[in-house]
Amino acid sequence: MSDVEFRQLDKILLLAAESSRDHSRGGRKASGNRGPCAFSVVSAPICVDRRGEHCAKAIPPAEVDEILLRSRDLAERRRVWEASRQPGVALKRRSRNWRDLRNRVAAELGYSSYLHLQVADYGMTVPEMMQLMDRTTRDFAPLYRQLHASARRRLAARYRQPVPRRMPAHWLPERWGQRWPGGGRIGQPGEGLRGKSPEWMVRQAERFSTSIGFPALPATFWERSDLYPLARDAGRQKRSGSWTVHIDRDQDVRTLLSLGPGFRLFQVSHHELGHAHYDFAYAHPGVPYLLRDGANRAFHEAIAELIAAAARQEPYLRSLGVIAPGRPMDATERLLDEALDNGVVGIPWAAAAVNLFEYDLYEKKLPAEQWNRRWWELVARYQGIEPPAPRAEASCDICSKAQLIERPAQYYDYALALLIRYQLHDYNRAQDSAPGSAQLQLLRESAGRQMVVGHDERRRHAALAATAAGQNRGRSQLARDAGLLPAAHRVSGQGECRPAGGLGVRLRCWERLRFPAERSLPPACPSVPAARRCVALPRHPRG
Ligand SMILES: [Zn+2]
């Protein structure tokens, strides 16, 4: 059997194991209930005014998000925040059954737990992944503490309250505390979006993609995607949030969005179309059908987020009038927004709180009666956040997080994606020879060379062939094979830089490159000039 055949059979096993949660007879039996499916529970209107058994007022989850983003009324914020946790009661028992089922499936395939099965997709063991996440959390902790203190002061002033020691969860502008848009200020550089239709927003995202070398999306993408909020009489429910799916691993890619006004959805449009383009890049006869799913999960997310990050750059926003003409931008505030909304704040959430909870859930088989207490212990310790009042153990507050239902035991993906996105960003900047040009320009210049898709067909085919080969040898090699990342370099004892494979090694190298003074790097790491090593990366002492 060839390596490619082995890899595809391995993929069949992994896909079967993942699907067990929904489709197997055992899954239905294990879920043990005939109620609405989990997506319906998570996407259903949230009761914000309950009178006994009767709900006097229910609002869609998107409206909850809007209140938490805008409202300055702490009583209203607390009421809405607590209401948003209601689905956790209904989902707790199912989550325990799903956990047990997933672990049984993983055990039959020879893994210690379902977490082990998912981590194996990176060619890593659970201890390796947990150590990487722990180190990442500690690296970011000093900067996070400073951001946390700054946001506490800003929000206390906003709500006219004393500065708290921990951040009250209902003060934050988002349900989970995973992003802190605005950082205590209301509004983002989106005033120029007023009057722009949702369709303009997503079509502009495509114009951005084609401007940097991606091919136009096919007509079927626009016909089959579900991009706009449902009409009240639509007769169906729609999942909140956004999603892009490669339906047939060929030419059928679809995006689910609920586009409305606002800068956030402008960014999300770019992000989701980034996923779509990356999916299309794998719809190629040179890549075996079963392996057409990207370098790895985190890399997919990093590509999408790189596109979204490029779309946040000031020159691009000014060229569209999204930043009003003549409006000055405070560079420090913009960096703060980036760290709070799209960067540093996501690390203690993804790498520590959720990751450690899922570790306890799957590896340690944490009893369900301890879930809520453990969850809030982790949130307090790593995110410095606490609920407005002690939470009852009858519920499971994190169980209604859609990703934990749809993509269980994969949350470290988001932390890895953040690190890879910075690497890609760094690489794009390192390619730039024109001082002062924006990341948008860098992407445009380099798209054909570094992205799997591009104008150069020969290059594209070579990259895709390398992709298949990369998957065969272990998907962590893919990025380098496809030219998507600079060759990683390992510092040997003799002080040389030489290429090294594997995501873990590359990330460790990345970490070394971030702290050249501490690590006394030898002077020549050829693909990353010294002056570029710390671009866009937080610099702080190790915690
Ligand atoms: Zn994404």
Side-chain angles (χ1 to χ4, degrees), residues 53 156 184 193 246 273 284 314 319 335 356 392 395 426 453 461 481:
E53 292 297 299
L193 286 171
H246 201 174
L273 262 58
H284 188 278
E314 187 176 344
S319 73
L335 283 173
L356 285 165
S395 184
D426 211 19
V453 289
H461 289 184
D481 291 345

Side-chain angles (χ1 to χ4, degrees), residues 244 246 271-272 274-280 282 292-306 407 417 420:
T244 295
H246 201 174
H271 176 106
E272 292 304 327
H275 277 305
H277 285 293
Y278 194 48
D279 281 334
F280 277 119
Y282 276 84
R292 294 179 188 174
D293 56 358
N296 54 51
R297 302 187 305 256
F299 207 88
H300 221 302
E301 198 58 32
I303 291 283
E305 199 34 49
L306 183 73
R407 298 178 161 192
I420 296 170

